Amino acid sequence: MKLLYFAWLRQRIGVTEETVTLPGDISTVGSLLTWLQGRSDAHATALADLSVVRVAVNQDYARAADPVSDDDEVALFPPVTGG
Amino acid sequence: MKLLYFAWLRQRIGVTEETVTLPGDISTVGSLLTWLQGRSDAHATALADLSVVRVAVNQDYARAADPVSDDDEVALFPPVTGG
Amino acid sequence: MVRVQRDDIDVGAELAAMTSGNHRIGGVATFIGTMRDLSDGQSVAAMTLEHYPGMTEKQLEAIEQEANTRWALEASLIVHRYGRFLPGDRIVFVATAAPHRQAALESCAFLIDWLKTKAPFWKLEETNDGARWVDARDSDDAATARWGQTPK
Amino acid sequence: MVRVQRDDIDVGAELAAMTSGNHRIGGVATFIGTMRDLSDGQSVAAMTLEHYPGMTEKQLEAIEQEANTRWALEASLIVHRYGRFLPGDRIVFVATAAPHRQAALESCAFLIDWLKTKAPFWKLEETNDGARWVDARDSDDAATARWGQTPK
């Protein structure tokens, strides 16, 4: 799975993107986020408050129950502040 | 009083503007309109249906009960179709 | 600012002049009215817009002032043309600028709704059947009514 | 049409290209978002707008399509910039054209409300206290909510 990070999530995690291989029991956005929290101290800090984390799967907004797989591009970012 | 006509009212009455001296009993927009209806056949035709006649006194919209005097600039025109 | 003119409207230049150097502006809403080649189902080759010089400016200034009372605007502009128009020509330009977008969007809609029903302009359309004066539209009155009481 | 670009936006040229030769257009509504020198009460010297290339275009195209489904538009355009901005700089330009003004005004407001809450952009402001990421505004979510369900 290709993971992308934006804005302060990118800064806190310290990388723009990374490629991961999902354990077999990770199949939803929600379980992915929980798993990523344990990936490093930086991930744990950046993802401590999931209420300010938004997720896009293959460039569409996704919710906790939506499915993910190794073939997906998943982006994590704060609430958007465009325009 | 200076009278101005616009759009099809101007065309039907046949003049752009005219100056009139009001009889003593004409003191409101409503009585002015009735009086003007009797001024000529052209006026009578143009002002036959007062529901499509709008009036401005000194360049502000006015209603039937509003006062008029010889010092005023009074304009008669159809409902506006601007913009 | 209010202007009534025969000349065309340079939207880019008007916007630049209106907003230049004002860094409190976060949003500018504009509306440009243009001439359609179809009116009430009939083809229109050209149109002449007659107005009431003096009253037009007076009424436009009053409504611009009203918009600035209702919304905290940084700048506002109404440019209305008169004369003869061909399809595609710009007729009217309204622009409002504010720190946040809601005030700009609402006041721009307010001004153009008002212009359509209260500004003393009359359209004479040239069709295959000859020239005809355009009737006022009830839908325009309804659009203006939702803003409540405005200056006479 | 949708464009995401670093370059400045030439509003006059964009409008001309969008409406040229289309004589069915009676009204064009636009919104221009510009950079303010004040944010949450603090002076802002500059701002960098980061975005998610690919998703931005995909989402803008989806919402433009949604606007064209809800309103009978003759043309629509969204141009959103990214990169570093100074106060007064144009950030985003939305324009919608329709036979009558109501469709143009409403769809323009719809698009900019959506852009503010769903387009994947993030603002990094440079203040005297250093750089800070801008928090999302609840009022923006409320503005979008009034349009009901939109594409995810």
Side-chain angles (χ1 to χ4, degrees):
Chain A
M1 168 180 290
K2 186 179 174 186
L3 285 165
L4 304 174
Y5 305 109
F6 291 97
W8 55 257
L9 267 168
R10 170 178 54 72
Q11 291 186 320
R12 288 185 197 169
I13 291 175
V15 296
T16 300
E17 60 178 83
E18 56 184 336
T19 302
V20 297
T21 303
L22 296 184
D25 57 335
I26 304 300
S27 60
T28 65
V29 167
S31 59
L32 171 66
L33 289 172
T34 307
W35 179 68
L36 283 173
Q37 284 173 329
R39 187 166 163 80
S40 77
D41 286 354
H43 286 78
T45 306
L47 301 174
D49 179 5
L50 290 177
S51 75
V52 290
V53 175
R54 299 290 176 270
V55 179
V57 176
N58 299 323
Q59 307 188 343
D60 280 320
Y61 284 101
R63 291 176 190 159
D66 289 334
V68 290
S69 78
D70 272 335
D71 297 333
D72 292 330
E73 173 179 304
V74 176
L76 274 59
F77 46 77
V80 304
T81 54
Chain B
M1 170 181 290
K2 184 180 177 188
L3 285 165
L4 304 175
Y5 306 109
F6 292 97
W8 55 256
L9 268 166
R10 170 179 53 72
Q11 291 186 321
R12 288 185 196 170
I13 290 175
V15 297
T16 300
E17 61 179 82
E18 57 184 336
T19 302
V20 299
T21 303
L22 296 184
D25 58 335
I26 304 300
S27 60
T28 65
V29 167
S31 58
L32 170 67
L33 289 171
T34 307
W35 180 69
L36 283 173
Q37 285 172 330
R39 189 166 162 79
S40 78
D41 287 352
H43 285 77
T45 306
L47 301 173
D49 178 4
L50 291 178
S51 75
V52 290
V53 175
R54 298 289 177 270
V55 179
V57 176
N58 299 324
Q59 308 187 344
D60 280 321
Y61 284 101
R63 293 179 189 154
D66 288 334
V68 290
S69 79
D70 272 335
D71 297 333
D72 291 331
E73 172 179 304
V74 176
L76 275 57
F77 45 78
V80 304
T81 54
Chain C
M1 195 205 286
V2 162
R3 267 200 343 269
V4 182
Q5 64 188 38
R6 191 179 282 276
D7 293 343
D8 194 10
I9 301 161
D10 183 336
V11 170
E14 296 287 359
L15 281 173
M18 179 179 142
T19 61
S20 178
N22 184 340
H23 296 166
R24 294 180 302 279
I25 297 173
V28 184
T30 80
F31 180 84
I32 303 153
T34 53
M35 187 189 153
R36 298 171 63 215
D37 60 9
L38 198 75
S39 173
D40 283 333
Q42 195 164 21
S43 177
V44 183
M47 175 185 88
T48 298
L49 207 50
E50 178 175 332
H51 78 119
Y52 180 176
M55 179 171 174
T56 307
E57 291 83 349
K58 184 178 182 178
Q59 296 297 320
L60 294 189
E61 280 162 16
I63 200 65
E64 188 196 30
Q65 197 174 329
E66 175 73 14
N68 279 273
T69 303
R70 293 189 183 204
W71 291 276
L73 302 181
E74 288 292 334
S76 54
L77 175 66
I78 303 171
V79 184
H80 208 308
R81 297 179 66 195
Y82 62 92
R84 190 163 180 273
F85 297 86
L86 299 176
D89 283 354
R90 280 173 283 266
I91 301 169
V92 60
F93 177 63
V94 173
T96 52
H100 298 288
R101 75 183 181 288
Q102 220 54 46
L105 290 166
E106 287 178 14
S107 56
C108 180
F110 167 81
L111 286 174
I112 190 67
D113 280 349
W114 185 92
L115 281 171
K116 289 271 182 179
T117 51
K118 294 298 185 90
F121 286 89
W122 302 274
K123 288 177 176 163
L124 180 68
E125 293 177 341
E126 301 169 30
T127 73
N128 287 334
D129 299 336
R132 65 175 183 193
W133 291 98
V134 176
D135 283 336
R137 299 170 64 94
D138 289 339
S139 64
D140 285 331
D141 284 331
T144 300
R146 73 189 168 98
W147 300 105
Q149 190 65 36
T150 53
K152 273 210 298 191
Chain D
M1 195 204 288
V2 162
R3 266 197 347 267
V4 182
Q5 64 186 38
R6 191 179 283 274
D7 293 345
D8 194 11
I9 301 161
D10 183 336
V11 170
E14 296 288 358
L15 281 172
M18 179 179 142
T19 61
S20 178
N22 185 338
H23 296 166
R24 295 181 302 279
I25 297 174
V28 184
T30 80
F31 181 85
I32 303 153
T34 53
M35 187 189 153
R36 300 171 62 215
D37 61 8
L38 198 75
S39 173
D40 283 332
Q42 195 164 20
S43 178
V44 183
M47 175 184 87
T48 297
L49 208 49
E50 178 176 331
H51 79 119
Y52 179 177
M55 179 171 175
T56 307
E57 291 83 350
K58 184 178 182 179
Q59 296 297 318
L60 294 188
E61 279 160 17
I63 200 65
E64 188 197 29
Q65 196 175 329
E66 174 74 14
N68 279 272
T69 303
R70 294 190 182 203
W71 292 276
L73 302 180
E74 288 292 335
S76 55
L77 175 66
I78 304 171
V79 184
H80 208 307
R81 298 178 66 197
Y82 62 92
R84 190 164 180 271
F85 298 85
L86 299 176
D89 283 353
R90 281 174 283 266
I91 300 169
V92 61
F93 177 63
V94 173
T96 53
H100 297 288
R101 75 184 181 287
Q102 220 53 45
L105 291 167
E106 287 178 13
S107 56
C108 180
F110 168 80
L111 286 174
I112 190 67
D113 279 351
W114 184 92
L115 280 172
K116 288 271 182 179
T117 51
K118 294 299 185 90
F121 285 88
W122 301 274
K123 288 177 177 161
L124 180 68
E125 293 177 341
E126 300 170 30
T127 73
N128 286 335
D129 298 338
R132 64 175 186 195
W133 291 98
V134 176
D135 283 337
R137 297 170 65 97
D138 290 339
S139 63
D140 285 331
D141 283 330
T144 300
R146 75 191 168 97
W147 300 105
Q149 190 65 38
T150 52
K152 272 213 296 191

